[in-house]
Amino acid sequence: MKEKNNEKVKGSSGAQAQGKRALKGEAVVRFMLDNKALILLIVLFVALSIASPYFLTVRNLLNVVRQACGLAIMGIGFTLLLGSGSMDLSVGNLMALIGVSAALLDTRLHAHPVLIIVICLAIGIAGLCFNTFLVQKFQLPGFILTLATGYIFTGIMWLISGGQSIAGISEWMRFIGQGTLLGIPFQIYLMLLLAILFTFLIRKTKFGRHSLAMGGNENAARVCGINITKGKFLIATIMGACVTVAALVTTGRASSAQLSAGSDTAMDTIAAVVIGGTPMNGGVANVPGTVIGCLLIQLISNGLNLLDVNSNWHKIAKGIIIIIAVILDVQGTKIIDRLRVKSQEKNK
Amino acid sequence: MTNQVILSVEGVSKSFLGTKALNKVSLEVCEGEVHGVIGENGAGKSTLMNTIFGSLQRDEGTIRFMGEEVNFKYPADALKAGISMIHQETSLVQQFTASENIWLGMEDRFVKNGVLDNGARDEATKKLFEEYDLSIRHNAVVSQISMAACQMIEVIRAVAGNAKLIIMDEPTSSLSENEVGVLFRIIRKLTSQGVAIIYISHKIEEIQEICDRVSVYRDGNYIGTRPVADVDRNQIVSMVVGRELTSLFPKAEAEIGDTVLEVKNLTRYGKFRDVSFTLRKGEILGFAGLEGAGRSEVASCIFGIDQADEGEILINGKKVSIKSPSEAVELGIGMVTEDRLRRGIIAQMSVKHNMTMARLKKFCGKGFGIIREREETGAVDEMIKTVQIKVSDRNQRIDSLSGGNQQKVIIGRWIMTTPQILILDEPTRGIDVGSKSEIHRLMSSFVQQGMSIILISSEMPEVLGMADRIVVMREGRAVFTCDREEANQELLGKYVLG
Ligand SMILES: Nc1ncnc2c1ncn2[C@@H]1O[C@H](COP(=O)(O)OP(=O)(O)OP(=O)(O)O)[C@@H](O)[C@H]1O
Ligand SMILES: [Mg+2]
């Protein structure tokens, strides 16, 4: 009887190999679901190329990428933050505060650029670390806490700005948001640099692996000997730097510090990150996905602009894309299952 | 036992991306029968049950329940038809009371004039608890009761739903011997009323005690069904593993050296008091006792998950104060925790990433901590072979592995750190007989290389078979210590129960 059993097992591994071949089509579907933002982007790109003659021009495309940069720089940091299990709704408010601070230091005090950048970095890092400190110390839900600190950041911004946007910033700050290097906008270099750096950090380093572990299961990560508090503060520091860069890019692009600069930023960032394939509940981080998510959001606005659609529709379109992305995210596995059962029925 | 067939499964297959989990398997269960299901980790037992219960859709094959062909799309359909399932991992709502959990989804019965009558519901719960002789309070919040009590609540929920067939997926993996007795009493009562039970377990003694017939699966294939009375233990084992198993407890002589860990009067208020023991180089120190006796809590304090209130811990003769697991890891301690879901696996991450999580430093260069991918992959592949994990791809998500295989990944994670002291809290829970013997063999070879092991286990034979010395804990105190030679089942049993 024993030998018979062994035969059966061997037979099964053959069957498994056969199964694998049949599953190749499935792998394609899986790839598409994993990269749904990319697929949506391509579909939209092709549709717009057909619909509008102005779309497929170097100028317009560069414009789209440039406009997506500020959001992408924020989003890249946010991907790491979300992947490590944190949530921060105050990043937009903090970004506006930094923008105003930079402009004030520049226009009123005529401070040296290096000094301004250092002070801005300090504000960004301090803001994020303040949030992290409260969350860790009192075990608060980040969602609520950062909603509260967001109000505080905005309040400070109104106090120091006196309620007016600040124009007349120096050449160097405008360069960050408007300048070009070898014909390509400077901020695109910044964004690409950060994207590559963060992808590397998350995929290839101990720090990245530990961050995701923290986000996936904090208890398990702690048992593995990971220092959670240290990790959270390190991530807050990195995110603080990203917020600062995003603030300088946004301020430079507008040639002035706008008080409303950060109002939609947190929500737009979360949307782009989630569309890009980083789930809300941590443990996974997809940086290239985030960049594509940002491009997608920008492409919608750009396309609707070119087609002369009322700007109120932009928000509706954005909402619909987010819904589609989330449905694909949650139902992905089920969709594959259905497809397989159907194809098997067909084969009979 | 009547011979009326209540469930018959024929030619059912199910594949996941890259794995064929079930390959044309069958199963037949009769009314009033306890039908054992056994097989190696990853054999497809849970998958088969999930396809019967409607949580998964089968690729092919037929399932008949009470004479009719059925095709449940959702578990709700199966429940309505009279099939209930107790999952391998508990599925109770943690914030709800026992009573609320039991009647979840069946509240309709207690609705009067459109309003839920909580009193009547609680009365019904109390009556059920009385009928089955359980001492659980109906208004106890689930998150605050023991895992054993949770398991009983799940059973009672199935009973309350008037199920004709109850599927139990490893119901005893977190129960102590007494509680298993309680469960068996409930099962016998149910079968006398004609209810059929499918009973999945890796413990052959349990199958022999409670089951009428047993079906064996291996590698997604159906191997066969036997009346339990006709086969002995060894025959079941060889059907499961496909070969003769030499020994379940391959204990090898190891050289016992100096004391590496000394615990003096360790106390954590409300958990345990005045616990003292020593652990020597090359020694396996067993901890016996009931669930809740304080064994895991002592281990948690040594590993820095919790802090002790009083007492001392000395490592290699030096007093240490361990405030976090990261400090414990630095001191050369490793720990396989008891609660795999909460403190073990990181569900979203791959098998590989889970396995190297505690030892990532080893694969990193100095400075920026860049991981040497190839070295990591090599070590993972080697460990997958050593602890015999059934995976289709090292990069697959850990939560797509079978329960037992997830456990093996966690064991591999800590073996990889080559600790000086390894704490194993219920390491072979949910692991099949073949792999169990392999893990025991590994333990033996590690202590031979100079490691020291603390083994916490609710399975008396495991402690007796593997430990050099045994500490018995009861109600937060270390009540008895003895050497391997003196120990036997009765002696320990006396101290375990008090
Ligand atoms: N969602 C999934 N995706 C991919 N593979 C899966 C998934 N679920 C299960 N599998 C695979 O199917 C096989 C059977 O798993 P199953 O959980 O049924 O085993 P089991 O017999 O219950 O084992 P155990 O005794 O460890 O609980 C395993 O190889 C497992 O890796
Ligand atoms: Mg299982």
Side-chain angles (χ1 to χ4, degrees):
Chain A
M1 195 191 93
K2 235 181 288 153
E3 266 160 34
K4 223 190 247 165
N5 286 345
N6 285 340
E7 262 172 34
K8 258 191 191 157
V9 174
K10 260 183 220 149
S12 93
S13 55
Q16 244 173 28
Q18 231 174 28
K20 259 188 192 148
R21 238 169 285 139
L23 294 173
K24 248 194 189 148
E26 237 169 80
V28 174
V29 179
R30 158 109 312 161
F31 173 83
M32 286 170 63
L33 282 171
D34 283 347
N35 298 280
K36 56 193 173 303
L38 184 62
I39 307 290
L40 285 173
L41 186 75
I42 292 172
V43 169
L44 200 63
F45 190 90
V46 172
L48 285 174
S49 313
I50 298 167
S52 165
Y54 306 108
F55 177 75
L56 211 55
T57 57
V58 175
R59 230 192 85 173
N60 184 52
L61 292 182
L62 266 186
N63 216 7
V64 171
V65 179
R66 182 164 51 198
Q67 281 169 348
C69 271
L71 187 61
I73 289 168
M74 185 74 106
I76 289 166
F78 207 86
T79 309
L80 174 66
L81 194 78
L82 206 59
S84 72
S86 300
M87 172 45 93
D88 199 311
L89 295 179
S90 71
V91 286
N93 313 77
L94 188 59
M95 183 183 91
L97 171 62
I98 295 171
V100 167
S101 308
L104 280 176
L105 287 168
D106 184 42
T107 57
R108 305 275 159 83
L109 303 177
H110 308 289
H112 191 272
V114 175
L115 183 66
I116 295 179
I117 290 176
V118 169
I119 293 176
C120 286
L121 275 174
I123 298 173
I125 292 169
L128 261 296
C129 285
F130 176 63
N131 288 345
T132 307
F133 170 74
L134 289 179
V135 167
Q136 291 294 310
K137 176 83 186 173
F138 301 106
Q139 298 293 308
L140 305 177
F143 196 90
I144 305 295
L145 176 89
T146 56
L147 195 66
T149 54
Y151 285 122
I152 296 177
F153 296 150
T154 302
I156 297 175
M157 177 193 74
W158 279 80
L159 278 178
I160 61 173
S161 68
Q164 274 170 2
S165 59
I166 296 144
I169 57 171
S170 302
E171 184 57 35
W172 69 269
M173 217 186 283
R174 281 212 302 277
F175 178 80
I176 296 179
Q178 298 171 19
T180 59
L181 213 68
L182 307 171
I184 293 173
F186 178 65
Q187 45 181 317
I188 294 183
Y189 291 106
L190 271 181
M191 190 267 279
L192 286 178
L193 185 74
L194 283 177
I196 292 168
L197 186 70
F198 273 69
T199 307
F200 181 79
L201 212 55
I202 288 170
R203 294 206 183 144
K204 299 283 179 203
T205 69
K206 191 176 78 175
F207 164 73
R209 197 73 73 71
H210 282 181
S211 303
L212 295 187
M214 248 154 56
N217 185 346
E218 195 175 312
N219 280 319
R222 184 174 290 125
V223 169
C224 286
I226 296 169
N227 189 333
I228 306 285
T229 317
K230 191 170 132 199
K232 292 263 178 188
F233 276 107
L234 198 52
I235 290 166
T237 305
I238 293 173
M239 183 64 200
C242 285
V243 174
T244 308
V245 177
L248 291 175
V249 166
T250 323
T251 311
R253 189 169 63 221
S255 298
S256 65
Q258 303 287 337
L259 301 190
S260 62
S263 52
D264 279 344
T265 309
M267 289 306 154
D268 278 354
T269 309
I270 294 173
V273 171
V274 171
I275 290 174
T278 301
M280 293 283 281
N281 47 14
V284 177
N286 185 346
V287 171
T290 296
V291 174
I292 290 168
C294 291
L295 286 174
L296 190 64
I297 286 182
Q298 206 51 55
L299 211 60
I300 297 169
S301 297
N302 178 264
L304 295 178
N305 261 336
L306 289 180
L307 299 175
D308 254 347
V309 180
N310 178 331
S311 71
N312 288 328
W313 282 98
H314 296 192
K315 289 207 160 143
I316 296 178
K318 203 156 54 176
I320 292 173
I321 291 282
I322 295 172
I323 293 175
I324 295 176
V326 174
I327 290 178
L328 288 179
D329 202 28
V330 176
Q331 299 288 325
T333 328
K334 275 195 193 148
I335 292 172
I336 290 185
D337 234 34
R338 294 254 165 77
L339 285 177
R340 186 186 25 240
V341 172
K342 263 201 196 129
S343 76
Q344 227 136 31
E345 272 164 13
K346 241 186 236 160
N347 286 347
K348 270 179 206 162
Chain B
M1 188 182 105
T2 43
N3 276 332
Q4 195 76 33
V5 173
I6 186 165
L7 174 83
S8 97
V9 174
E10 269 165 43
V12 165
S13 299
K14 171 78 193 168
S15 36
F16 296 104
L17 195 63
T19 348
K20 188 143 193 175
L22 292 173
N23 185 20
K24 297 206 170 62
V25 301
S26 332
L27 173 67
E28 187 193 84
V29 183
C30 298
E31 240 170 49
E33 174 191 34
V34 183
H35 195 107
V37 166
I38 191 168
E40 289 177 334
N41 297 126
K45 305 180 296 293
S46 299
T47 305
L48 175 59
M49 298 310 145
N50 280 322
T51 53
I52 296 172
F53 192 55
S55 325
L56 287 174
Q57 300 304 310
R58 58 185 182 271
D59 297 344
E60 58 172 349
T62 53
I63 297 177
R64 266 174 229 285
F65 182 59
M66 304 217 293
E68 275 171 56
E69 184 166 347
V70 290
N71 203 351
F72 302 127
K73 281 264 177 300
Y74 302 99
D77 301 341
L79 284 167
K80 218 177 280 164
I83 302 181
S84 212
M85 177 157 168
I86 297 167
H87 289 87
Q88 196 164 358
E89 326 282 3
T90 58
S91 57
L92 297 177
V93 181
Q94 295 291 315
Q95 295 84 351
F96 281 15
T97 63
S99 177
E100 283 167 337
N101 263 297
I102 287 173
W103 300 102
L104 197 63
M106 299 183 279
E107 290 90 351
D108 285 351
R109 298 184 199 186
F110 306 108
V111 172
K112 254 193 226 147
N113 309 325
V115 182
L116 184 62
D117 183 351
N118 286 326
R121 187 196 59 200
D122 292 347
E123 275 311 309
T125 312
K126 268 192 228 163
K127 238 174 82 193
L128 275 173
F129 282 167
E130 262 164 42
E131 189 182 340
Y132 288 95
D133 224 352
L134 294 171
S135 60
I136 306 171
R137 279 183 312 128
H138 67 86
N139 57 358
V141 175
V142 162
S143 60
Q144 282 159 17
I145 60 181
S146 70
M147 266 158 103
C150 289
Q151 203 63 261
M152 295 301 164
I153 291 174
E154 296 220 36
V155 176
I156 295 297
R157 177 158 78 179
V159 175
N162 286 328
K164 310 240 170 20
L165 170 69
I166 303 179
I167 301 168
M168 300 187 178
D169 196 351
E170 299 188 31
T172 54
S173 58
S174 55
L175 300 189
S176 65
E177 249 159 273
N178 276 34
E179 294 150 349
V180 173
V182 175
L183 179 71
F184 283 3
R185 209 181 58 225
I186 298 177
I187 289 179
R188 292 209 174 92
K189 190 159 176 155
L190 286 169
T191 49
S192 70
Q193 295 160 8
V195 176
I197 311 266
I198 297 178
Y199 188 91
I200 304 180
S201 179
H202 291 294
K203 297 177 185 159
I204 291 161
E205 307 77 44
E206 285 177 14
I207 300 249
Q208 285 179 316
E209 186 178 341
I210 194 79
C211 296
D212 302 301
R213 288 190 296 167
V214 58
S215 292
V216 182
Y217 298 84
R218 193 189 322 139
D219 236 354
N221 295 292
Y222 170 64
I223 304 295
T225 301
R226 301 276 185 281
V228 168
D230 296 358
V231 284
D232 63 14
R233 190 195 151 82
N234 290 341
Q235 280 169 304
I236 299 181
V237 171
S238 63
M239 270 175 94
V240 171
V241 298
R243 62 190 152 84
E244 227 48 81
L245 197 64
T246 39
S247 161
L248 191 49
F249 304 111
K251 174 86 182 157
E253 284 303 312
E255 194 183 321
I256 302 217
D258 298 336
T259 301
V260 288
L261 171 75
E262 185 167 3
V263 172
K264 280 189 196 160
N265 301 47
L266 207 64
T267 300
R268 183 169 150 80
Y269 302 134
K271 300 284 185 195
F272 56 84
R273 275 223 314 261
D274 257 347
V275 175
S276 305
F277 61 87
T278 56
L279 174 70
R280 282 172 294 178
K281 190 173 170 169
E283 186 179 49
I284 299 180
L285 181 65
F287 271 78
L290 296 178
E291 184 102 2
R295 297 166 301 164
S296 302
E297 283 77 7
V298 171
S300 296
C301 282
I302 297 172
F303 195 59
I305 296 173
D306 295 319
Q307 257 66 61
D309 296 311
E310 281 169 29
E312 296 185 348
I313 299 172
L314 289 87
I315 289 182
N316 299 328
K318 251 193 272 143
K319 191 171 175 239
V320 291
S321 122
I322 302 171
K323 295 209 182 55
S324 68
S326 57
E327 292 177 23
V329 172
E330 286 304 314
L331 288 167
I333 309 176
M335 177 165 175
V336 174
T337 49
E338 162 188 43
D339 191 341
R340 183 173 67 230
L341 276 215
R342 217 159 65 80
R343 287 197 174 141
I345 64 165
I346 299 160
Q348 298 92 330
M349 298 184 104
S350 65
V351 168
K352 172 174 145 187
H353 291 182
N354 263 287
M355 193 183 277
T356 55
M357 194 50 76
R359 199 60 191 123
L360 214 47
K361 232 186 246 164
K362 191 162 115 190
F363 307 112
C364 286
K366 288 223 172 63
F368 285 109
I370 296 166
I371 300 164
R372 287 190 297 270
E373 207 63 55
R374 195 170 309 159
E375 215 172 293
E376 187 192 10
T377 307
V380 168
D381 286 347
E382 204 173 301
M383 192 56 74
I384 286 175
K385 266 199 224 117
T386 315
V387 283
Q388 302 174 347
I389 304 172
K390 195 188 165 206
V391 287
S392 54
D393 179 355
R394 69 177 97 78
N395 293 318
Q396 81 187 95
R397 271 174 65 140
I398 191 167
D399 61 357
S400 70
L401 293 189
S402 77
N405 282 304
Q406 292 177 14
Q407 179 70 10
K408 290 184 203 171
V409 174
I410 305 299
I411 292 176
R413 171 195 284 171
W414 288 106
I415 294 178
M416 204 173 251
T417 67
T418 50
Q420 186 196 3
I421 299 167
L422 181 60
I423 304 172
L424 300 170
D425 196 354
E426 307 287 356
T428 58
R429 172 176 287 173
I431 285 194
D432 66 59
V433 272
S435 310
K436 215 173 195 170
S437 131
E438 184 56 29
I439 286 171
H440 291 152
R441 199 189 57 71
L442 283 171
M443 283 167 62
S444 284
S445 79
F446 288 137
V447 290
Q448 277 180 323
Q449 292 159 27
M451 193 191 279
S452 308
I453 293 179
I454 292 178
L455 170 67
I456 301 173
S457 174
S458 298
E459 276 181 61
M460 200 78 85
E462 185 168 53
V463 177
L464 287 168
M466 295 309 298
D468 297 297
R469 251 168 350 112
I470 299 168
V471 178
V472 180
M473 282 191 71
R474 187 178 75 237
E475 289 164 6
R477 284 170 176 279
V479 289
F480 181 65
T481 307
C482 69
D483 281 337
R484 179 181 180 78
E485 291 75 29
E486 310 163 37
N488 61 52
Q489 192 109 17
E490 285 98 288
L491 182 68
L492 293 191
K494 209 173 78 196
Y495 285 101
V496 164
L497 297 174

